[in-house]
Structures are given as C-alpha cells and as structure tokens.
Amino acid sequence: MAVPKSKISKQRRDKRRSAHWKLEVPGMVKCPKCGEMVMPHRACRSCGTYKGREVLKVEVSK
C-alpha cells in the first residue's frame, strides 16, 4: 500500500483542488421562435417549441 513520504501543505492541497470549484455557465442559444435564451436540446419554456414543433402547452399568465 502506498504511503506518503511527507505531509502535503494546505496551500499545495488547496491549489490542486481550486479547479473543482469553478462555476461554468451552460451554453445558451436563442429560441428561433420567440428569441428567449434556452439550453440546447431542450424545449423552450416560454413558447413550448422544440425543433419547430410544439411539444409543451404553455399557458399565458395575466
């Protein structure tokens, strides 16, 4: 079984882990029908369309 030869400092440990906490914004595209920003390969929540056809029934709120 492998045993560390010496203690790894907190600074070195944290430098290695720093990349794990980066936040990424998912790629967003505009809906071709309404222009709302939507994640790719998902139905638009504002108009309910996907690939040019209506897949969700969206009620208009007043």
Side-chain angles (χ1 to χ4, degrees), residues 29-39 44-47:
V29 294
K30 282 189 177 181
C31 173
K33 186 174 180 185
C34 66
E36 191 77 23
M37 295 303 281
V38 185
M39 287 182 67
C44 179
R45 290 186 177 215
S46 62
C47 64

Side-chain angles (χ1 to χ4, degrees), residues 9-50:
S9 68
K10 293 173 192 161
Q11 182 180 8
R12 186 175 289 265
R13 176 200 65 197
D14 293 345
K15 271 195 273 185
R16 184 179 65 244
R17 294 180 183 170
S18 68
H20 296 204
W21 305 108
K22 288 184 181 175
L23 296 176
E24 289 185 12
V25 177
M28 302 290 274
V29 294
K30 282 189 177 181
C31 173
K33 186 174 180 185
C34 66
E36 191 77 23
M37 295 303 281
V38 185
M39 287 182 67
H41 307 289
R42 284 165 180 76
C44 179
R45 290 186 177 215
S46 62
C47 64
T49 59
Y50 179 69

